[in-house]
Amino acid sequence: MKTKRVILLLLVALAITAFFMFDLDRFLSLETLKSRQEELRALAQTHPWQSAGMFFILYTAVTALSFPGAAIMTLAAGAIFGLWWGTLIVSFASSVGATLAFLAARFILRDSIQQRFGDKLKSFNEGIARDGAFYLFTLRLAPIFPFFLINLVMGLTSMRALTFYWVSQIGMLAGTLVYVNAGTQLAQIESIRGILSPGLILSFVLLGIFPLLAKKAIDFFQARKVYAKWPRPQRYDYNMVVIGGGSAGLVTSYIAAAVKAKVALIERHKLGGDCLNTGCVPSKALIRSAKLMSHVSRATEFGLASASAEVDFAAVMERVQRIVKTIEPHDSVERYTGLGVECLQGDAKIVSPFAVEVKDGDGGTRTLTTRNIVIAAGARPFVPPIPGLKEIGYLTSDTLWDLRELPKRLVVLGGGPIGCELAQAFARLGSQVTQVEMTERILMREDIEVSALVAARFRAEGINLLTGHKATKFLVDNGEKILMAESGGSEVRIAFDVVLCAVGRAANIKGYGLEELGIRSTKANTVETNDYLQTLYPNIFAAGDVAGPFQFTHTASHQAWYAAVNGLFGRFRKFKADYSVIPWATFTEPEVARVGLNEQEAKEKNIPYEVTVYELDDLDRAIADEEAHGFVKVLTVPGKDRILGVTIAGEHAGDLIAEYVLAMKHGLGLNKILGTIHIYPTLAEANKYVAGAWKRAHTPVRLLEWVKRYHAWQRG
């Protein structure tokens, strides 16, 4: 196959070389055409079929090999064969030639281009797969871009050759007709510019506008088709109804109310969602108490002869609830009602694209009509179907907050961020923790050295970390709870008192009408949306954990802006959700934070990169705080200071990453960070020092040699 590609490439190169070497383009000039117009017309009248056939073959070859002169030949078709025959010949010849160029580009270049740049072209390929025919039609209709370039670029995509052919045939017809018609008036044309009369320019302007109008029309008719069986109300109770009172729902409602829309927010349980009630807030409160206990155990490191503390687990959990209650007013019904949001408690069900039914706790039902609906139903802990698990009983990150007695022996299933955070917290509070992860390491999304750093800390703190262990069943043996796990073909028996499932979260996509409306879900079991967060119905949006692709509170808030603005003002302008710079953190110790690419992702996506690392054991403040562990790792474009991604493992990594989030969002490189004053002594200096390490690695050696000579000359 490779040999065939090389042969075809050589033949094409040879043909192009011969074309210019023998000055064949002189035959495709306006002067030659005008001088031989009568001769060619007479030949066409005498031998019509032979002339048409030869012209077809020649035009096809010129188009297929991307030779200059297609415009002249289109004029020639009009001058020789007349308007209708000329249009017919050129229409088919240009489409066949374009398809041959398309196929040649595909055969010679596509595999190597996709292999090398496939990840960067992913969104482009997805766009072609979804709307490629329309894009091509738009490009063909108005000759703004060179047609030969369109042929070659489309050949590098996954578009079917048949689709390319018929769209080109239809799309180029209007422009072909205009040029062939101009060719019938060849005697009056003195140059190519001569055909660009005001009338012709206006024609092309109208052709350029047509695709936009056509897309609007297509969207209109598609919407009519989608909404066909759903009657629209004569008037609407609300501009927007939001289902779910977590981060995405709260922010969506806030924005809608702020721009004076009438908005209803429906929540079945408590406002604040998982983050406030069972996720971010309580877990960080628990982690803070656990961290204090870890410092007590390290008293001698800080010069204290001795220190001790006794854990009152019930008091720790009461403190957690006190923290939740303190923050609760930020997300309360009272606050949002004051902001102009109508807050409703109950179970919501979408009964049409314009109506949501709300059932309250007393069994009463109310139907709200609305122009827009935002689904922000969040996610729940995923419980794996392991035999015996349900029978033996388990906790999740949603239910463990009711605990008031510290588990003596705790098994944590899962080595992701939630499992790691809770495993370390409970171990520090006094539980004997066994963490079971089926993959070869914890925190699999992070680089290997990050996982190793956290794993080493876990083991040092007494956590029994079992990676590469697959939980197979739970049972009770002589009154003792047992987990059976498989590792390397051997069976491992783990005794425990309480098991915590922390193997991930599943989006809430069932039970509120999506199935009845035909709203699709993705392979990841999230609500399927387009780039504007619209579902199958353009007025129904999804945001937050229920939509993915990231399940972070800050991402949910980010998506909420797009859902609110696109829903309320989308008829004027819509905005694509931007996921280009998404940071996150895992609040273990050492803390892990990341934005952009890490090294394992860059390798998987075949993206070239350079790595610069600054070890925190060299940082003055980290040494003074007895936290001299971890590192800052920056990936940059080779030879440049443009940041591709950053991973920080160490004390306050989640705070330190903010500088890089800002830098990546606004295109600032490491040179800008190096040129920024950082307070001494702070952990934030690490960001400047890693920039300095990058700078030293890119020292202009040759220039410094000349500078050295200059200084020597200055000394005499």
Side-chain angles (χ1 to χ4, degrees):
M1 183 65 74
K2 186 175 181 181
T3 303
K4 292 179 179 178
R5 288 194 183 101
V6 173
I7 292 172
L8 181 58
L9 183 60
L10 289 174
L11 289 174
V12 171
L14 185 62
I16 294 173
T17 302
F19 180 83
F20 290 104
M21 181 178 294
F22 296 107
D23 197 22
L24 297 180
D25 58 328
R26 70 182 185 277
F27 297 111
L28 299 177
S29 66
L30 186 62
E31 292 75 16
T32 300
L33 177 59
K34 288 174 66 69
S35 66
R36 302 188 63 183
Q37 178 181 355
E38 295 303 324
E39 177 187 346
L40 294 172
R41 183 180 293 172
L43 183 63
Q45 290 173 351
T46 306
H47 305 286
W49 291 106
Q50 296 90 326
S51 299
M54 288 299 297
F55 189 90
F56 181 93
I57 292 171
L58 183 60
Y59 196 109
T60 300
V62 167
T63 309
L65 294 168
S66 304
F67 289 155
I72 296 297
M73 291 197 70
T74 307
L75 294 174
I80 298 169
F81 300 102
L83 177 60
W84 301 115
W85 273 109
T87 300
L88 184 66
I89 295 168
V90 171
S91 178
F92 281 94
S94 60
S95 299
V96 171
T99 304
L100 290 174
F102 167 92
L103 291 172
R106 170 163 294 180
F107 183 72
I108 296 171
L109 297 172
R110 186 179 67 170
D111 289 348
S112 59
I113 294 293
Q114 290 293 341
Q115 185 177 3
R116 185 170 181 180
F117 303 106
D119 292 304
K120 294 180 180 179
L121 296 173
K122 183 178 179 182
S123 59
F124 176 73
N125 289 331
E126 290 173 351
I128 290 294
R130 186 174 58 250
D131 299 311
F134 180 79
Y135 292 156
L136 178 60
F137 178 73
T138 302
L139 294 169
R140 290 302 196 199
L141 200 57
I144 301 171
F145 298 101
F147 279 2
F148 80 90
L149 188 60
I150 296 170
N151 302 336
L152 300 179
V153 171
M154 287 296 175
L156 303 179
T157 71
S158 58
M159 178 178 286
R160 295 174 61 227
L162 183 60
T163 302
F164 178 85
Y165 174 81
W166 70 258
V167 172
S168 297
Q169 182 89 49
I170 297 170
M172 292 191 291
L173 185 59
T176 297
L177 190 61
V178 171
Y179 267 90
V180 171
N181 181 60
T184 62
Q185 310 298 320
L186 188 63
Q188 302 174 23
I189 298 174
E190 297 300 329
S191 69
I192 288 293
R193 291 182 180 179
I195 68 171
L196 297 177
S197 62
L200 188 61
I201 292 173
L202 178 61
S203 298
F204 282 126
V205 170
L206 293 175
L207 287 176
I209 295 173
F210 176 78
L212 301 177
L213 299 177
K215 191 169 192 321
K216 289 289 185 183
I218 290 170
D219 290 344
F220 174 76
F221 286 113
Q222 284 180 338
R224 282 182 64 89
K225 183 179 178 181
V226 167
Y227 293 122
K229 66 177 181 179
W230 305 105
R232 291 177 182 263
Q234 291 184 347
R235 64 178 302 279
Y236 298 92
D237 301 325
Y238 299 92
N239 299 100
M240 182 168 281
V241 168
V242 182
I243 300 173
S247 179
L250 289 170
V251 175
T252 300
S253 303
Y254 179 94
I255 294 170
V259 296
K260 306 306 178 184
K262 188 175 182 183
V263 56
L265 172 61
I266 307 167
E267 170 56 48
R268 65 168 52 171
H269 185 46
K270 294 180 180 179
L271 289 189
D274 298 327
C275 184
L276 172 65
N277 298 294
T278 61
C280 309
V281 172
S283 66
K284 301 314 165 281
L286 182 70
I287 287 169
R288 182 66 185 90
S289 294
K291 186 169 185 175
L292 179 58
M293 283 303 298
S294 76
H295 281 171
V296 170
S297 67
R298 295 170 55 196
T300 56
E301 292 181 34
F302 298 93
L304 306 180
S306 66
S308 63
E310 185 177 340
V311 174
D312 182 343
F313 186 73
V316 168
M317 297 302 276
E318 289 301 325
R319 172 185 175 272
V320 169
Q321 293 306 315
R322 175 171 57 80
I323 298 298
V324 172
K325 291 292 183 185
T326 303
I327 297 175
E328 199 171 51
H330 301 170
D331 298 340
S332 65
V333 171
E334 292 75 16
R335 183 191 177 209
Y336 275 80
T337 300
L339 292 170
V341 178
E342 185 175 343
C343 299
L344 304 173
Q345 185 170 18
D347 291 318
K349 184 172 184 179
I350 306 172
V351 294
S352 92
F354 313 105
V356 178
E357 186 179 272
V358 185
K359 185 181 293 184
D360 61 31
D362 299 326
T365 300
R366 176 183 172 188
T367 300
L368 317 177
T369 58
T370 177
R371 278 199 169 273
N372 299 283
I373 299 170
V374 176
I375 302 166
R380 66 191 184 283
F382 172 71
V383 179
I386 303 172
L389 178 58
K390 288 185 179 180
E391 292 75 12
I392 210 165
Y394 59 87
L395 296 175
T396 68
S397 58
D398 279 3
T399 60
L400 70 87
W401 308 109
D402 294 329
L403 278 178
R404 291 299 179 270
E405 184 177 339
L406 182 69
K408 184 178 179 181
R409 296 174 300 177
L410 175 68
V411 164
V412 177
L413 290 182
I418 296 174
C420 286
E421 289 180 0
L422 293 176
Q424 188 177 44
F426 273 91
R428 287 177 163 185
L429 291 171
S431 290
Q432 298 173 23
V433 176
T434 299
Q435 187 175 11
V436 180
E437 167 57 40
M438 65 185 298
T439 63
E440 293 305 313
R441 57 188 177 91
I442 57 174
L443 300 177
M444 279 293 291
R445 296 181 67 182
E446 307 299 340
D447 284 337
I448 291 175
E449 63 268 36
V450 174
S451 298
L453 190 67
V454 176
R457 185 62 170 265
F458 278 19
R459 291 190 172 103
E461 293 185 2
I463 296 174
N464 181 24
L465 184 56
L466 302 178
T467 55
H469 284 64
K470 182 179 180 181
T472 56
K473 62 181 176 181
F474 288 86
L475 52 89
V476 177
D477 186 6
N478 293 324
E480 188 173 49
K481 296 178 180 179
I482 303 294
L483 165 62
M484 303 301 296
E486 186 180 279
S487 176
S490 301
E491 197 168 50
V492 179
R493 182 183 175 98
I494 305 162
F496 67 93
D497 299 309
V498 175
V499 60
L500 170 64
C501 286
V503 294
R505 296 179 65 80
N508 294 319
I509 60 175
K510 295 183 181 297
Y512 51 94
L514 302 191
E515 303 94 331
E516 291 83 348
L517 268 70
I519 294 176
R520 294 182 291 268
S521 59
T522 67
K523 292 180 181 179
N525 286 321
T526 57
V527 176
E528 185 177 282
T529 63
N530 63 12
D531 293 339
Y532 305 99
L533 300 181
Q534 294 170 301
T535 65
L536 172 67
Y537 300 90
N539 73 313
I540 300 180
F541 299 79
D545 289 0
V546 76
F550 302 97
Q551 292 188 334
F552 306 127
T553 298
H554 48 279
T555 312
S557 301
H558 178 70
Q559 287 180 320
W561 184 91
Y562 294 94
V565 172
N566 288 338
L568 297 172
F569 304 108
R571 65 178 55 192
F572 305 109
R573 185 183 174 188
K574 292 188 296 185
F575 298 86
K576 291 183 179 181
D578 178 14
Y579 303 120
S580 59
V581 183
I582 301 292
W584 66 81
T586 300
F587 296 92
T588 52
E589 192 170 357
E591 204 165 282
V592 178
R594 178 149 73 89
V595 61
L597 291 173
N598 64 6
E599 196 167 1
Q600 70 178 13
E601 285 180 344
K603 289 176 180 176
E604 289 169 3
K605 296 178 179 180
N606 200 28
I607 297 174
Y609 65 93
E610 286 185 13
V611 176
T612 305
V613 177
Y614 175 74
E615 300 286 348
L616 293 176
D617 61 4
D618 186 58
L619 186 66
D620 291 1
R621 180 56 184 269
I623 295 169
D625 287 350
E626 292 287 352
E627 302 294 354
H629 54 263
F631 54 83
V632 180
K633 181 179 182 181
V634 182
L635 271 63
T636 51
V637 174
K640 298 181 180 179
D641 74 333
R642 185 166 71 84
I643 302 168
L644 296 173
V646 181
T647 297
I648 303 177
E651 194 76 355
H652 292 293
D655 298 317
L656 296 179
I657 201 74
E659 186 167 11
Y660 292 106
V661 178
L662 178 72
M664 291 183 67
K665 179 65 177 176
H666 297 285
L668 305 177
L670 290 179
N671 280 314
K672 296 291 186 182
I673 293 177
L674 182 60
T676 301
I677 297 173
H678 292 67
I679 295 172
Y680 177 87
T682 59
L683 295 174
E685 282 188 294
N687 293 340
K688 180 170 184 174
Y689 290 152
V690 74
W694 177 88
K695 192 72 172 179
R696 287 191 298 275
H698 294 80
T699 300
V701 177
R702 183 171 296 181
L703 177 61
L704 289 179
E705 283 296 325
W706 283 102
V707 172
K708 181 179 179 181
R709 294 180 185 180
Y710 168 75
H711 289 314
W713 173 75
Q714 284 284 80
R715 295 194 302 271

